[in-house]
Amino acid sequence: TSQQAAQQRTVKVDEPAPLRDIDPVITVPDKFIDFEIVDRSAKTIRAGEDYTYVLRAKFAEELQGQDARVSVLLGAQPRPALEFNGEDNINVRHNEEFKVRFLTSPRIEKYKPATQVKLVLLTKATLGADNTKTHIHTITLPRAKAAPQP
């Protein structure tokens, strides 16, 4: 036992540091944005006319209150159907309204009745240095019925 006592040593164990609140890593979700149509200058579109849509951006819950940069690049489907007046790349914020102005092409009058004209919103969200996602949202623009040709 005296030999055992000589071999035993007292080891001081450092107490673990208190746990700190660690900020969770927030990632941009796949579907990080949606849009609400607040107002529009007409219910249906016709060839060769100007239109204005007022949209409200709705961010996913994970992005609300974060320092996220979200931009919207405007496009059309079919591509030549719309021409944009003003900016075609807009920075948006959660729950804020923004306007989209466009001119419809005279070509849409010749489109088949089943051809849909769509406003395409290509969105990009950036949160931090390496946290970027894109999302495509489309809004189908109801077409006015073409007048019958004599």
Side-chain angles (χ1 to χ4, degrees):
T1 53
S2 61
Q3 187 179 12
Q4 242 181 353
Q7 290 177 350
Q8 289 180 352
R9 292 184 239 156
T10 305
V11 177
K12 182 178 177 187
V13 177
D14 291 334
E15 294 208 15
L19 294 175
R20 292 179 281 148
D21 288 338
I22 299 173
D23 291 334
V25 176
I26 298 170
T27 59
V28 177
D30 290 336
K31 187 169 191 265
F32 58 85
I33 194 166
D34 202 2
F35 296 95
E36 173 188 353
I37 300 172
V38 176
D39 194 18
R40 55 186 165 196
S41 56
K43 289 189 179 196
T44 59
I45 61 168
R46 296 182 183 279
E49 294 187 16
D50 284 310
Y51 295 93
T52 300
Y53 269 57
V54 178
L55 304 175
R56 178 177 291 129
K58 299 283 200 169
F59 292 2
E61 191 174 322
E62 296 89 341
L63 290 188
Q64 295 175 23
Q66 300 299 320
D67 188 25
R69 287 176 304 184
V70 180
S71 62
V72 179
L73 180 63
L74 303 174
Q77 190 180 5
R79 192 166 185 227
L82 307 177
E83 186 177 306
F84 297 97
N85 301 331
E87 292 183 64
D88 66 351
N89 193 1
I90 304 165
N91 291 320
V92 296
R93 295 175 187 231
H94 172 65
N95 218 21
E96 286 189 3
E97 296 176 5
F98 64 98
K99 289 183 181 180
V100 175
R101 293 181 179 99
F102 56 90
L103 170 68
T104 55
S105 168
R107 294 182 197 184
I108 68 170
E109 197 170 275
K110 298 187 189 301
Y111 290 172
K112 294 177 182 174
T115 302
Q116 294 183 334
V117 175
K118 295 181 180 186
L119 173 62
V120 178
L121 305 156
L122 173 61
T123 54
K124 178 180 174 182
T126 304
L127 186 63
D130 298 326
N131 199 352
T132 300
K133 290 229 174 122
T134 57
H135 178 73
I136 297 174
H137 186 89
T138 60
I139 297 172
T140 302
L141 306 173
R143 290 173 46 202
K145 297 205 186 309
Q149 300 292 330

